[in-house]
Amino acid sequence: MIRVLFISLLVIFVAYLLRINLESRRSMVENMAKNDSSSSVVERISIKVYGEDGVEWNVVGRVLSLQGEQVYLDAPVFESSKGDKISARRSDLNRSTGIGTLEGDVELTSAEFYARVDKARVDLKKSIISDEGSIYVKKGENWISGEGYTIDLKGGKVIIKRVRAEIK
């Protein structure tokens, strides 16, 4: 008799726990549906982006805002598995394509050269940075500046349309 009473109480308790679990899941799904169209903000985030030929980029930012597929970062730092490093004041990046823009004191450091620009369009999957703005490139003691550029990080190439150079 005591066993039957104990088992009955146990079944009632388990049913109660299941009901609470289902209600919490239902409210969580409703909240997710409400917040799906809005943006969310996260402090200190790290994202990995895989490019062609397996080149990997680790993107770290101080403040992240997500709006659909667009990722907005303040003070982002992009580091590739090859050792290339890109930093800027702000960036926006499409999560699925790996294409975005960098703005404000954009600096690129690689094994071959150092480059500084005001803004840039970046394609992380192809490892290409480009824009029509001004660029300053330094390799060793030599520097080149100009307007309009394309930087191919895979091949280590910098193509500048209108060039001014100083070679020592």
Side-chain angles (χ1 to χ4, degrees), residues 45-58:
I45 190 101
S46 177
I47 303 169
K48 292 205 183 288
V49 178
Y50 296 94
E52 296 174 357
D53 301 328
V55 175
E56 178 184 300
W57 289 89
N58 188 30

Side-chain angles (χ1 to χ4, degrees), residues 79-93:
E79 292 187 43
S80 76
S81 57
K82 290 174 43 177
D84 300 320
K85 183 177 178 181
I86 306 168
S87 62
R89 286 189 187 169
R90 290 172 303 285
S91 76
D92 68 89
L93 184 68

Side-chain angles (χ1 to χ4, degrees), residues 103-114:
E103 296 178 351
D105 299 328
V106 180
E107 293 185 349
L108 165 66
T109 307
S110 76
E112 292 88 22
F113 59 89
Y114 164 83

Side-chain angles (χ1 to χ4, degrees), residues 23-76:
E23 287 177 1
S24 68
R25 285 182 185 221
R26 185 178 302 131
S27 68
M28 183 174 67
V29 169
E30 289 172 358
N31 287 337
M32 287 174 59
K34 288 179 187 175
N35 294 333
D36 191 30
S37 61
S38 66
S39 65
S40 29
V41 177
V42 178
E43 298 282 333
R44 297 292 288 159
I45 190 101
S46 177
I47 303 169
K48 292 205 183 288
V49 178
Y50 296 94
E52 296 174 357
D53 301 328
V55 175
E56 178 184 300
W57 289 89
N58 188 30
V59 183
V60 178
R62 189 170 52 213
V63 175
L64 170 75
S65 172
L66 293 171
Q67 293 180 343
E69 286 291 311
Q70 275 317 103
V71 177
Y72 298 93
L73 291 164
D74 284 340

Side-chain angles (χ1 to χ4, degrees), residues 85-151:
K85 183 177 178 181
I86 306 168
S87 62
R89 286 189 187 169
R90 290 172 303 285
S91 76
D92 68 89
L93 184 68
N94 186 293
R95 290 188 292 178
S96 59
T97 63
I99 297 173
T101 59
L102 305 169
E103 296 178 351
D105 299 328
V106 180
E107 293 185 349
L108 165 66
T109 307
S110 76
E112 292 88 22
F113 59 89
Y114 164 83
R116 186 178 65 231
V117 299
D118 291 327
K119 62 180 181 169
R121 288 185 304 275
V122 63
D123 186 338
L124 294 179
K125 292 190 177 189
K126 293 182 181 177
S127 295
I128 293 177
I129 301 168
S130 63
D131 194 61
E132 293 301 315
S134 62
I135 184 170
Y136 171 84
V137 180
K138 186 174 182 181
K139 182 174 184 178
E141 294 289 319
N142 304 320
W143 65 268
I144 297 174
S145 65
E147 301 273 328
Y149 60 90
T150 301
I151 301 172

